[in-house]
């Protein structure tokens, strides 16, 4: 049934035509979006990745052509030769090509289509599972096409910019060495070495540091990375990093080049001016003011430490927290003083999800009275002192948490965002960048009963904090920085340790024996014996960055072939079973309880 | 021991300085290539990726500085502040910076180095195993640095060109579906679905065709691909493809855009003009004239079919071959008529390696006499007829093979190259491109006793040959093309089947049951039901292309971190053992004979 395109050559994509082409004979090819037969005149909307174009089949001695056009159905692939004319009907303001139409002279049906399982349209209401099963159809939808085109543009601009700045793109291996530290690696069994495995890289971290050792000076790669994690809401087993590393630099140099990259991307892709320099804030300040290491700075509602103000009150929740070394902090939800009790209770539940034992509140009524969950424990004077500390005014709602700092920050930081969402004060067209700097080098892991690296074990401590590394490791700050956009961490990095003695000390603090360190990172430690330049880098999560630029809610909407939560692909049905023979070739077999017990 | 670079900012890379900078105070940083103490004046050669720069430590009141410089050793990393001066000694013509030197005012040792296990120098004599173990040092060598910089440039230019031509770079999954067809996949066990496996892609073929179905129109990707093969001389378990696909096109469109890409790359990277259009030759002509589907057209020595000329002779080897449906063909090694018998014998052995039962020769002496391995079976007239057919002249050596065409082509095609190598007629600075077109669609596999796809099962037959697909499948030619450079296939592709009925027929011819086809390619066949544009594509082996541009003999020399023949990495020692616990989590355990027998 398919006709050949022989002798035809496409002259334009649909969306490339405009009133400037009126009078030209053109050849266009694409998919039938829809066709209508209006009193013997057939109108076809033709779609390709550039847009939609109206084709008219009309005229004397064109009966056969019109009849053929009338039989077209959605998603047929056609080639059309015709003349560009000013639109005979009303101009369609919604279409870039809305002022013109093509008067068809020839029509070829290159490929027919069955009725698709869901309509090819923007903002599809079809449930995601079905769309992912037929991803090749889903990917025809204009919103997904815009997203993937934007992603391609972001990658292209990034490469151009970095290349112009003297960065070399160097490919590092996908079949790497598995390391037990960090998240779980995907493993690849070796056939030539049965019982041995490659690990897919969680990032090219070690390789890019080696490239600095090797004198490549400025490296980047848009690199696939892999983590075999239990998938949370919006994780993918494979994801893409813009990975950057520079030699002979310190924090400011990394920040400078990356700010210019971000400014270029947002200007060229979205026509948004990013004011440079991007503000910086230490981790400590971010936690104190926003209760988050990735604060959304599009709005205020900052945390206030009221420990001092309430330290003499009799409220046991406050008192107990302070006595245990914690703090009392609050946020002022301006104008929310009249929030119904039920809604406040929901906020209390929300806070509990983040580890709060409770949430104290003070609702300042417009009439000057005060409703509070803990008024009875407070003197009039104590309450006024608290309200003053939080700059409370009639109509405000003060929400307070008392606990260890970590819990207080987490609760109020999230509460702050929740109230912003509820009160719809977030402007989705505003893009606020922020550097968060001077992260703690280490964090205590209750689970592992040891310090773990907050970024990774190669992060450089601040020179002035090195003195505490044995006596008070938790106090040591790192030359680490994250770039935050509207409350999302889109990238992060650090200056690296380049001195063997500091690196060894770091492993020691992390509880690695010399052997463990050598087994896992021996080649890096070896490399460090032969002259290492000071170096630093940064990596962006490309998926998340493009997701934010495209104003999507899921990174699945900015990837061509994503997997679902259980890490499977609904379209290809990967992963799938393989022959036992193949397994045997790899020196493996399926694990059975039976064999374990030897029965 | 390491000093800090605090307060210093590099102003130039070493190789960026020239006589134009004389008088400037600069800050440079890099590795000590060597230092010499000449009567109290210390000369240091400082190296970075851009080149080598001479630093002079000399002057009154600089004793401490000079002493410090004298203690520098190879591969120390240093920062130097100094003034650019005209070189006091003889200008070094071998260095780009040979006319200048830096008079040092400040020296900081950023990182010391032990003595490296081999010297960091061009054209290293150190054996490759040792260099690969210390790859981070090997990668400091200027020749490897040039190669990786060239590779980065090729990738950058390719992306720019394709992006300007309307191609979108779209990432396809690394964790894909394993397919039994073709080479062996690397498998990745799934933890969430124990007993199931992902396959690493051998190419993004299916995904790029799906992207055409989805209307992306023009796609490219510089993509990692994987094959778990027994490694031959110069294969790597992972390699990189420049992968391209276009919609609404035929052969000429693909060739056009790719010729312009190649011309741009060779012009900008190597300053070589590629004359366009690149010549084309059908597969049949390539085999007949060069005995190869990737002929090196830098020289002649073409095959001559002498079947007709010798068909009446009594030489049983010729006779037998012709009677069995084969041919007799030869090449004329001009000027090699005096080749010693021993050397000819070696050529005979060489021919046998390629399946020849023997190799007949006629050595035409300068004095007009003829030495031949089969003279006694030939009449004088017959011999003259043969010599004439091969345009033999005094001083020439004629080499003849008689067998099935496939064997004859292979033997003479390789012999032709071998003689060219021996006689050194190949110009390594000449770059001859050639398109080989109209490959056979299918080839008969003795091993599998069925036809297999010569390119892959999605390759479009020539319209005029479709009629033979049932009756004489071997006769059907394909819309497939390879791009050949100096006898190396650097890329290949085809117009794809986009009609479901032809695709199903193709699977039938290849001996797939409907179920097998559906199990493996079901999603592609499904996609083909919903409107498919005509499409075609091509993929380059980036590693090999850069290897040829860099005039290297191995793709290992154009990859940052290659693996050796057994697919292991000598630096990281991947692949490596993992815990049984990790295996168990994947639903696997090590295969033991013991368990198989149940004992």
């Amino acid at each position: 049934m398919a006709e050949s395109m022989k002798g035809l050559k496409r002259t334009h994509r649909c969306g490339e035509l405009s009133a400037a082409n009126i009078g030209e004979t053109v050849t266009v090819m694409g998919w039938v979006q829809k066709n209508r037969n209006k009193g013997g005149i057939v109108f076809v909307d033709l779609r390709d990745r550039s847009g939609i174009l109206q084709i008219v089949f009309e005229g004397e001695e064109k009966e056969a052509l019109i009849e053929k056009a009338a039989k077209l159905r959605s998603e047929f692939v056609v080639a059309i030769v015709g003349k560009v004319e000013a639109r005979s009907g009303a101009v369609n303001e919604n279409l870039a090509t809305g002022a013109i139409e093509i008067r068809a002279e020839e029509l070829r049906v290159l490929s027919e289509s069955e009725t698709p399982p869901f309509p090819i349209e923007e903002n599809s209401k079809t449930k995601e599972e079905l769309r992912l099963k037929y991803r090749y159809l889903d990917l025809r939808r204009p919103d997904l096409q815009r997203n993937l085109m934007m992603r391609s543009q972001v990658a292209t601009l990034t490469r151009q910019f970095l290349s112009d700045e003297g960065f070399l793109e160097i490919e590092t291996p996908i079949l790497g060495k598995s390391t037990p530290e960090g998240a779980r690696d995907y493993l690849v069994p070796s056939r030539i070495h049965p019982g041995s495995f490659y690990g897919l890289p969680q990032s090219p971290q070690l390789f890019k540091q080696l490239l600095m050792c090797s004198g490549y000076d400025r490296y980047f790669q848009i690199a696939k990375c892999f983590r075999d994690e239990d998938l949370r809401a919006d994780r993918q087993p494979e994801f893409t990093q813009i990975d950057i590393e520079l030699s002979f630099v310190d924090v400011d140099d990394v920040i400078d080049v990356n700010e210019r990259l971000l400014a270029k991307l947002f200007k060229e892709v979205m026509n948004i001016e990013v004011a440079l320099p991007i503000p910086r804030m230490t981790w400590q300040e971010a936690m104190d003011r926003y209760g988050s290491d990735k604060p959304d700075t599009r709005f205020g509602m900052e945390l206030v430490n009221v420990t001092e103000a309430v330290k003499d009150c009799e409220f046991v929740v406050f008192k107990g927290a302070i006595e245990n070394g914690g703090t009392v902090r609050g946020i002022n939800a301006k104008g929310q003083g009249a929030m119904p009790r039920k809604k406040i209770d929901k906020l209390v539940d929300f806070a509990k999800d983040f580890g709060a034992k409770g949430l104290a509140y003070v609702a300042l009524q417009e009439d000057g009275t005060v409703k509070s969950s803990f008024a009875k424990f407070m003197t009039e004077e104590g309450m006024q002192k608290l309200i003053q500390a939080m700059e409370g005014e009639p109509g405000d709602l003060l929400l307070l948490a008392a606990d260890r700092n970590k819990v207080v920050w987490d609760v109020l930081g999230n509460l702050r965002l929740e109230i912003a969402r509820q009160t719809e004060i977030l402007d989705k067209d505003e893009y606020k960048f922020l550097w968060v700097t001077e992260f703690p080098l280490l964090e205590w892991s209750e689970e592992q009963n040891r310090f773990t690296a907050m970024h990774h074990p190669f992060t450089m401590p601040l020179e002035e904090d090195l003195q505490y590394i044995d006596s008070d490791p938790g106090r040591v700050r790192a030359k680490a920085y994250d770039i935050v956009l509207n409350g999302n961490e889109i990238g992060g990095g650090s200056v690296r340790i380049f001195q063997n003695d500091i690196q060894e000390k770091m492993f020691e603090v992390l509880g690695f024996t010399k052997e463990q360190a050598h087994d896992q990172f021996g080649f890096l430690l070896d490399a460090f014996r032969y002259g290492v330049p000071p170096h630093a880098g940064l990596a962006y999560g490309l998926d998340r960055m493009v997701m934010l630029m495209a104003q999507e809610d899921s990174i699945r909407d900015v990837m061509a072939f994503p997997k679902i939560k259980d890490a499977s692909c609904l379209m290809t049905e990967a992963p799938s079973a393989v022959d036992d023979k193949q397994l045997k070739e790899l020196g493996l077999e399926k694990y059975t309880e039976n064999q374990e017990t030897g029965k």
Side-chain angles (χ1 to χ4, degrees), chain A:
Chain A
M1 293 295 285
E3 294 178 90
S4 161
M5 54 174 284
K6 207 163 217 169
L8 294 186
K9 203 170 163 63
R10 180 172 62 171
T11 59
H12 299 80
R13 292 203 185 89
C14 295
E16 291 167 359
L17 291 166
S18 69
N21 303 93
I22 287 172
E24 293 177 26
T25 294
V26 298
T27 303
V28 289
M29 305 186 185
W31 284 257
V32 173
Q33 181 71 25
K34 61 178 176 190
N35 71 342
R36 290 151 293 155
N37 192 332
K38 278 213 251 174
I41 308 176
V42 176
F43 295 90
V44 169
D45 281 357
L46 188 68
R47 188 193 71 231
D48 66 20
R49 81 173 199 211
S50 68
I52 284 178
L53 184 65
Q54 178 164 294
I55 319 285
V56 188
F57 295 83
E58 179 189 20
E60 289 181 23
E61 293 174 29
K62 285 193 177 167
E63 289 77 10
L65 184 65
I66 294 169
E67 196 179 333
K68 190 173 177 185
K71 284 184 187 154
L72 293 176
R73 292 170 55 199
S74 290
E75 301 310 313
F76 277 31
V77 178
V78 297
I80 286 155
V81 183
K83 195 175 258 183
V84 184
E85 297 187 347
R87 197 168 279 211
S88 48
V91 165
N92 184 342
E93 303 284 357
N94 295 325
L95 282 185
T97 62
I100 55 164
E101 60 193 11
I102 308 295
R103 186 156 298 260
E105 282 149 23
E106 185 177 353
L107 164 67
R108 294 199 204 164
V109 177
L110 305 180
S111 176
E112 299 191 339
S113 172
E114 297 179 16
T115 303
F118 52 84
I120 308 303
E121 63 190 8
E122 294 217 21
N123 305 316
S124 178
K125 299 277 188 303
T126 308
K127 70 177 182 162
E128 197 181 14
E129 283 67 30
L130 190 68
R131 290 193 286 109
L132 287 175
K133 179 170 158 56
Y134 296 94
R135 185 62 166 179
Y136 42 83
L137 296 178
D138 196 29
L139 284 171
R140 291 184 185 177
R141 297 190 306 106
D143 29 6
L144 275 185
Q145 295 206 334
R146 273 197 306 274
N147 291 351
L148 290 189
M149 286 191 267
M150 181 187 275
R151 185 183 179 119
S152 177
Q153 191 192 5
V154 168
T156 301
L157 289 170
T158 300
R159 286 186 159 108
Q160 254 165 28
F161 175 84
L162 290 175
S163 177
D164 290 346
E165 293 277 331
F167 288 81
L168 302 170
E169 184 157 24
I170 301 178
E171 297 171 55
T172 56
I174 298 288
L175 293 171
K177 185 182 164 77
S178 177
T179 54
E181 180 77 348
R184 206 184 278 109
D185 285 333
Y186 276 104
L187 298 178
V188 182
S190 162
R191 182 177 52 85
I192 301 179
H193 307 276
S196 286
F197 294 77
Y198 304 95
L200 301 184
Q202 298 185 24
S203 88
Q205 184 64 34
L206 296 176
F207 287 109
K208 70 174 175 174
Q209 291 194 242
L210 288 176
L211 288 170
M212 295 303 103
C213 290
S214 301
Y216 286 83
D217 206 280
R218 296 188 152 209
Y219 145 96
F220 83 101
Q221 189 180 192
I222 300 190
K224 274 285 174 78
C225 305
F226 306 84
R227 276 182 209 166
D228 184 9
E229 291 178 308
D230 294 311
L231 300 181
R232 291 203 304 246
D234 205 20
R235 287 241 177 109
Q236 287 285 322
E238 62 186 284
F239 55 97
T240 305
Q241 265 183 210
I242 303 173
D243 196 41
I244 294 175
E245 194 82 9
L246 303 74
S247 289
F248 301 114
V249 295
D250 208 329
V251 176
D252 286 348
D253 306 282
V254 181
I255 284 186
D256 167 64
V257 74
N258 280 287
E259 287 190 347
R260 289 184 292 113
L261 169 62
L262 289 168
K264 180 185 166 99
L265 289 178
F266 277 74
K267 177 67 191 166
E268 296 203 17
V269 178
M270 313 185 64
N271 201 26
I272 285 175
E273 302 282 351
V274 179
L276 299 189
I278 290 170
R280 299 188 201 181
M281 191 179 284
T282 65
W283 178 86
Q284 188 64 54
E285 184 180 349
M287 299 312 285
D288 281 338
R289 290 176 57 190
Y290 298 98
S292 168
D293 59 3
K294 46 181 188 208
D296 190 332
T297 48
R298 282 178 295 176
F299 66 103
M301 214 193 298
E302 295 187 13
L303 277 61
V304 181
N305 189 338
V306 295
T307 312
E308 190 57 35
V310 301
K311 73 172 194 302
D312 300 321
C313 83
E314 289 305 308
F315 186 28
V316 67
V317 172
F318 290 176
K319 233 173 133 168
I322 296 170
E323 277 168 13
N324 287 321
T327 51
V328 184
R329 298 172 198 245
I331 53 174
N332 182 345
K334 301 298 289 179
Q336 298 297 314
M339 187 182 282
R341 179 62 194 264
K342 253 191 180 161
K343 228 170 146 186
I344 294 180
D345 286 345
K346 279 201 176 146
L347 291 182
V348 175
D349 290 342
F350 180 88
K352 284 180 178 167
D353 286 345
F354 289 92
K357 290 182 205 77
L359 189 68
Y361 70 87
V362 182
L364 301 168
Q365 307 301 299
E366 292 290 355
D367 64 6
T369 60
V370 168
K371 285 190 198 167
S372 168
S373 56
F374 57 99
K376 56 182 167 183
F377 304 110
M378 301 289 283
T379 61
E380 178 71 15
E381 189 194 13
M383 185 60 91
Q384 282 311 318
K385 206 167 149 192
L386 171 62
I387 292 170
Q388 207 172 353
M390 297 193 61
E391 298 180 2
E393 294 174 320
D396 290 352
L397 176 66
L398 313 181
L399 297 163
L400 297 142
D403 210 314
R404 286 179 301 125
N405 274 336
K406 219 182 144 179
V407 175
V408 173
W409 283 328
D410 207 28
V411 167
L412 293 180
N414 282 291
L415 202 59
R416 176 178 170 268
L417 293 176
E418 176 61 19
I419 292 170
R421 276 188 292 264
Q422 287 187 9
T423 55
E424 295 177 4
I425 58 174
L426 295 172
D427 178 356
K428 75 175 176 46
D429 290 322
E430 193 182 2
Y431 288 85
K432 279 261 195 166
F433 287 93
L434 176 74
W435 289 104
V436 177
T437 63
E438 297 184 11
F439 277 76
L441 182 69
L442 303 159
E443 59 186 345
W444 183 256
S445 164
E446 294 292 344
E447 195 184 330
Q448 300 181 54
N449 196 37
R450 64 169 176 103
F451 279 104
T452 57
M454 194 141 182
H455 274 68
H456 54 57
F458 314 108
T459 304
M460 186 76 153
L462 278 188
E463 276 89 353
E464 59 262 44
D465 288 358
L466 259 176
Q467 54 185 313
Y468 308 116
I469 198 150
D470 287 312
S471 58
D472 189 4
R475 178 174 174 177
V476 179
R477 290 164 297 169
K479 286 192 173 183
Y481 33 79
D482 278 0
I483 177 75
V484 173
L485 171 58
N486 291 356
N488 298 276
E489 180 219 319
I490 58 169
S494 62
V495 174
R496 321 302 182 185
I497 299 170
F498 72 103
Q499 305 92 329
N500 233 343
D501 52 344
I502 301 181
Q503 188 63 67
E504 280 173 10
K505 167 60 72 181
M506 185 72 181
F507 283 131
E508 186 192 314
V509 174
L510 293 173
F512 282 64
T513 64
K514 284 215 162 169
E515 271 136 27
Q516 283 172 329
H518 192 269
D519 277 357
Q520 286 183 44
F521 308 111
F523 54 97
L524 188 74
L525 297 176
D526 284 347
F528 276 19
R529 288 159 47 201
Y530 299 103
V532 194
H535 58 291
L538 185 141
Y540 297 94
L542 177 65
D543 310 290
R544 194 184 290 171
M545 189 158 82
V546 176
M547 178 190 89
L548 293 171
M549 294 171 95
Q551 302 194 336
E552 293 285 0
D553 294 325
S554 164
I555 59 171
R556 290 187 299 279
D557 291 329
V558 296
M559 304 174 79
F561 300 101
K563 295 188 171 64
I564 59 168
K565 264 194 196 176
D566 72 352
S568 72
C569 170
L570 293 176
M571 181 185 71
T572 62
E573 294 174 351
S576 55
V578 301
D579 289 348
D580 285 346
K581 193 173 137 268
Q582 274 176 282
L583 284 191
K584 201 168 148 184
E585 232 183 358
L586 299 170
L588 296 172
E589 63 186 334
K590 284 185 192 126
Y591 172 81
T592 58
E593 288 296 336
N594 223 12
Q595 287 165 342
E596 191 185 42
T597 57
K599 280 170 200 165

